[in-house]
Amino acid sequence: MSVQVVSAAATAKVPEVELKDLSPSEAEPQLGRSTSAVSAMAPPAGGGDPEAPAPAAERPPAPGPGSGPAAALSPAAGKVPQASAMKRSDPHHQHQRHRDGGEALVSPDGTVTEAPRTVKKQIQFADQKQEFNKRPTKIGRRSLSRSISQSSTDSYSSAASYTDSSDDETSPRDKQQKNSKGSSDFCVKNIKQAEFGRREIEIAEQEMPALMALRKRAQGEKPLAGAKIVGCTHITAQTAVLMETLGALGAQCRWAACNIYSTLNEVAAALAESGFPVFAWKGESEDDFWWCIDRCVNVEGWQPNMILDDGGDLTHWIYKKYPNMFKKIKGIVEESVTGVHRLYQLSKAGKLCVPAMNVNDSVTKQKFDNLYCCRESILDGLKRTTDMMFGGKQVVVCGYGEVGKGCCAALKAMGSIVYVTEIDPICALQACMDGFRLVKLNEVIRQVDIVITCTGNKNVVTREHLDRMKNSCIVCNMGHSNTEIDVASLRTPELTWERVRSQVDHVIWPDGKRIVLLAEGRLLNLSCSTVPTFVLSITATTQALALIELYNAPEGRYKQDVYLLPKKMDEYVASLHLPTFDAHLTELTDEQAKYLGLNKNGPFKPNYYRY
Ligand code: NAD
């Protein structure tokens, strides 16, 4: 099959944001003067040891006495410092580097369309003057949807669906559906799938112990009473557990999907059945995507006062369409690299008009998403797509950061012979000390059976490398973008592409050599397997705590800036997950705490500590 490149799509842009009269309080926050609402959710705390004498820059603000609706949830009020404002230089430049490569999308007829060459993983903003009633035809919607690259995939929530979107071709927007209570304030694929979705949610609950614990602690207490949360995330069973937890804590929620493909229809149906206004289905068109977001926000008699976003699309929609809403919004919680980057841009430009929490960079999220999640899901992704046996196979892993370490550990445990490439001598030395051969890619490219990229960089595997690979070599990527492997260079007339399975392409050279390309170079685990629920539990708990904190923070504590969750909150998220393992933490004695200069109840490490 030869492929034909038709056109380059327009460059996706983050829209310019114009903000007028939006500044809420001008008051400077009194850091540490009053209690964090989240602090009240903390586990029982002991004596009143002094705060750790860390350097001023690292020392969290001193906690105050408990207050606010969350305070009564635990006797531990007043032990968690509030989030500290982000003062670092923007760490997301690193992630931006790989956003400027192209992406090719193959339609069923073999036509290749070049996707936008910047910010590929975000959906472009639809024309702001777009009228949602003027909708494309069914066919138009489908083709639109094919032309959008995977959106907001930089948050590593499970995007795999275990049911397909059914044979029903009718757009959910054209259906009249009601749940069993007679409400039609939702738009999902098929409300009749609710029972199946409920079972999925119940399964997820078993692996999300911290959220379930928060629900229990909140019995009788409603730290989110009065909160009106508008959310835009992957709609999966794990998100459903989060939403229902927020509901149990007193919040009203309206929700849309942050990704046009990742919605689990049955889960969306279950949420709609239990009264959540959910607007999402698998396979939305771009037009549907924005329509769903708009239906969440543009409601008579209901205005959000909190935003939970994953990718920044919801936040920007409100900025563009309903900027006055920010007068009532108390804060934004953002999960993804992309969304956080946009918030920093707004903050830098002085246009961020409410406080925002950067959940993406909290220690627990980073560590668990990157290392442990990838350690678990790399084998799953490879196995599901190729059925291969790993024992004795030669594998080269490019990049020995968190993701690379996870991949290497899993493959080594399966008996693979693992080589590592690195540019950073520290990570390189770590690889050596962990027993891996550090090589240049060129040295092993002819002999390896599998090539895995985990660098967050671009063009790590070039056409030259691809030309030299042996027959049947498997090539895949675990990094953020699909430009780590130069997939675009394979779209040339002399090479033939054969789609052999979903997400598996054979690229065949004129001499008959073929390589096995997985997920067209996109994130393997996100595209071809599921992500462990327990990992998502950690992120979801962090999101819930960030919402509680921002919602309950006294006027002036947070200004219009981007904040990181305090270490104490990270520690709390971790501690809520420990009972799963029947793990028993050692407590510092008074003497030891004094000796180390720590508060007995944490935080136990300075902010600069590398775990
Ligand atoms: P990291 O920065 O810890 O590690 C990346 C490593 O790659 C670094 O050590 C860097 O020195 C090395 N590197 C850079 N360019 C290289 C090159 N040309 N050759 C060899 N090594 C090179 O980052 P991380 O946390 O390991 O994440 C890596 C990527 O994976 C990022 O894009 C991240 O967004 C993504 N990620 C994926 C998942 C997932 O589920 N698949 C989860 C988290 C993060």
Side-chain angles (χ1 to χ4, degrees):
M1 181 180 79
S2 68
V3 289
Q4 177 201 359
V5 176
V6 228
S7 70
T11 300
K13 282 183 194 145
V14 176
E16 283 294 309
V17 177
E18 273 181 36
L19 294 177
K20 288 171 199 139
D21 307 328
L22 290 177
S23 303
S25 157
E26 296 295 322
E28 281 292 306
Q30 308 229 327
L31 292 179
R33 279 296 165 89
S34 51
T35 310
S36 149
V38 174
S39 70
M41 310 282 285
D49 289 20
E51 287 293 314
E58 296 299 336
R59 190 169 55 233
S67 66
L73 286 175
S74 148
K79 296 297 174 193
V80 183
Q82 72 213 31
S84 49
M86 286 294 297
K87 295 298 177 206
R88 60 186 186 165
S89 60
D90 187 350
H92 298 99
H93 283 153
Q94 196 183 337
H95 296 283
Q96 290 301 293
R97 280 202 307 263
H98 44 60
R99 289 206 184 116
D100 42 34
E103 172 180 7
L105 302 161
V106 189
S107 60
D109 63 359
T111 307
V112 176
T113 311
E114 254 185 61
R117 296 198 69 81
T118 56
V119 203
K120 308 179 300 310
K121 300 228 166 188
Q122 300 153 23
I123 291 181
Q124 287 185 51
F125 280 86
D127 182 352
Q128 302 307 317
K129 292 199 181 80
Q130 162 181 354
E131 288 171 45
F132 289 114
N133 293 334
K134 290 185 193 161
R135 283 178 285 151
T137 60
K138 278 179 200 164
I139 291 167
R141 272 186 226 136
R142 272 202 303 276
S143 62
L144 232 173
S145 140
R146 297 275 316 170
S147 73
I148 300 167
S149 64
Q150 205 170 355
S151 65
S152 297
T153 54
D154 56 346
S155 62
Y156 304 102
S157 311
S158 169
S161 179
Y162 22 81
T163 56
D164 212 339
S165 42
S166 92
D167 295 337
D168 182 2
E169 286 291 301
T170 317
S171 165
R173 288 166 66 179
D174 296 331
K175 289 183 187 171
Q176 299 290 327
Q177 300 187 80
K178 280 195 167 114
N179 68 14
S180 61
K181 283 152 212 122
S183 168
S184 55
D185 188 15
F186 63 87
C187 191
V188 300
K189 183 78 180 174
N190 184 356
I191 190 72
K192 290 186 186 134
Q193 295 177 326
E195 208 177 306
F196 179 45
R198 179 52 50 193
R199 286 203 295 275
E200 293 298 329
I201 296 170
E202 284 165 6
I203 291 169
E205 283 173 356
Q206 289 162 25
E207 276 286 278
M208 303 189 85
L211 287 181
M212 302 312 280
L214 281 187
R215 282 190 204 180
K216 271 199 189 136
R217 275 172 194 250
Q219 262 167 16
E221 296 302 325
K222 303 284 177 201
L224 289 173
K228 294 178 178 172
I229 303 171
V230 61
C232 183
T233 66
H234 297 284
I235 295 187
T236 59
Q238 295 83 5
T239 304
V241 179
L242 170 64
M243 284 169 66
E244 293 188 343
T245 302
L246 299 175
L249 299 180
Q252 293 174 21
C253 301
R254 296 180 73 84
W255 229 262
C258 68
N259 181 298
I260 57 174
Y261 299 120
S262 67
T263 297
L264 299 186
N265 287 329
E266 56 278 12
V267 168
L271 285 165
E273 173 56 33
S274 54
F276 285 92
V278 170
F279 299 85
W281 57 94
K282 185 181 164 86
E284 292 165 10
S285 69
E286 185 173 1
D287 181 67
D288 295 334
F289 178 83
W290 296 112
W291 179 85
C292 287
I293 287 183
D294 201 68
R295 285 293 309 271
C296 287
V297 193
N298 184 11
V299 200
E300 226 181 279
W302 194 92
Q303 263 209 31
N305 52 24
M306 296 294 299
I307 295 175
L308 177 56
D309 209 354
D310 182 346
D313 291 326
L314 167 64
T315 304
H316 279 267
W317 186 254
I318 298 178
Y319 262 108
K320 291 296 285 186
K321 298 279 286 183
Y322 311 104
N324 280 332
M325 263 183 199
F326 278 104
K327 286 179 181 163
K328 290 218 166 140
I329 287 173
K330 294 183 127 191
I332 302 167
V333 174
E334 172 58 55
E335 172 177 347
S336 75
V337 173
T338 312
V340 163
H341 179 73
R342 288 174 171 185
L343 290 173
Y344 281 112
Q345 283 179 328
L346 283 175
S347 171
K348 230 176 182 173
K351 291 177 175 173
L352 185 64
C353 53
V354 293
M357 282 275 187
N358 166 1
V359 168
N360 179 66
D361 290 295
S362 56
V363 178
T364 37
K365 194 219 173 221
Q366 284 269 328
K367 277 281 157 183
F368 291 85
D369 250 20
N370 300 22
L371 177 64
Y372 300 110
C373 172
C374 293
R375 192 177 73 182
E376 301 251 345
S377 52
I378 178 69
L379 300 180
D380 189 16
L382 284 168
K383 193 71 110 182
R384 286 193 200 201
T385 45
T386 64
D387 301 319
M388 85 163 333
M389 202 172 109
F390 301 107
K393 292 281 161 46
Q394 297 196 46
V395 185
V396 62
V397 174
C398 302
Y400 201 67
E402 299 293 335
V403 172
K405 286 181 177 81
C407 294
C408 287
L411 288 157
K412 185 181 183 181
M414 294 302 291
S416 299
I417 300 156
V418 183
Y419 302 97
V420 170
T421 72
E422 248 303 337
I423 52 158
D424 176 344
I426 297 176
C427 298
L429 186 57
Q430 285 181 311
C432 295
M433 299 292 283
D434 290 339
F436 299 108
R437 282 287 312 281
L438 191 89
V439 295
K440 288 188 178 183
L441 190 53
N442 274 334
E443 295 169 34
V444 291
I445 198 67
R446 280 190 191 282
Q447 74 203 52
V448 288
D449 302 288
I450 309 175
V451 178
I452 305 170
T453 50
C454 319
T455 68
N457 203 342
K458 66 186 286 193
N459 288 341
V460 175
V461 174
T462 61
R463 173 64 192 263
E464 200 189 326
H465 294 126
L466 292 156
D467 283 339
R468 295 178 62 209
M469 283 172 194
K470 72 179 187 190
N471 187 38
S472 299
C473 183
I474 295 167
V475 191
C476 64
N477 168 45
M478 287 286 283
H480 169 80
S481 84
N482 65 341
T483 50
E484 294 213 25
I485 302 162
D486 188 5
V487 175
S489 74
L490 294 174
R491 311 268 184 204
T492 50
E494 77 277 15
L495 300 184
T496 308
W497 284 60
E498 254 179 39
R499 172 58 53 108
V500 295
R501 277 180 177 176
S502 166
Q503 309 282 6
V504 184
D505 286 298
H506 282 181
V507 184
I508 306 162
W509 268 249
D511 64 358
K513 175 192 106 168
R514 59 182 68 203
I515 61 159
V516 182
L517 177 66
L518 304 184
E520 294 180 66
R522 294 190 183 92
L523 279 153
L524 175 73
N525 57 346
L526 198 76
S527 311
C528 306
S529 70
T530 56
V531 174
T533 299
F534 197 78
V535 168
L536 301 175
S537 169
I538 291 165
T539 307
T541 308
T542 312
Q543 288 169 319
L545 292 181
L547 285 166
I548 294 169
E549 168 66 9
L550 279 180
Y551 182 65
N552 290 285
E555 183 82 26
R557 172 178 290 166
Y558 297 109
K559 51 183 173 178
Q560 294 96 320
D561 208 341
V562 186
Y563 292 81
L564 264 186
L565 288 163
K567 191 168 289 291
K568 186 80 175 82
M569 254 160 78
D570 263 335
E571 290 172 355
Y572 181 47
V573 171
S575 74
L576 283 172
H577 286 86
L578 286 177
T580 302
F581 307 100
D582 191 23
H584 304 267
L585 264 183
T586 301
E587 285 170 26
L588 283 173
T589 63
D590 289 343
E591 188 194 14
Q592 288 172 329
K594 201 171 171 195
Y595 180 70
L596 292 177
L598 290 177
N599 185 314
K600 272 176 81 172
N601 305 301
F604 298 100
K605 299 285 190 296
N607 283 343
Y608 55 78
Y609 184 81
R610 302 181 198 97
Y611 290 81

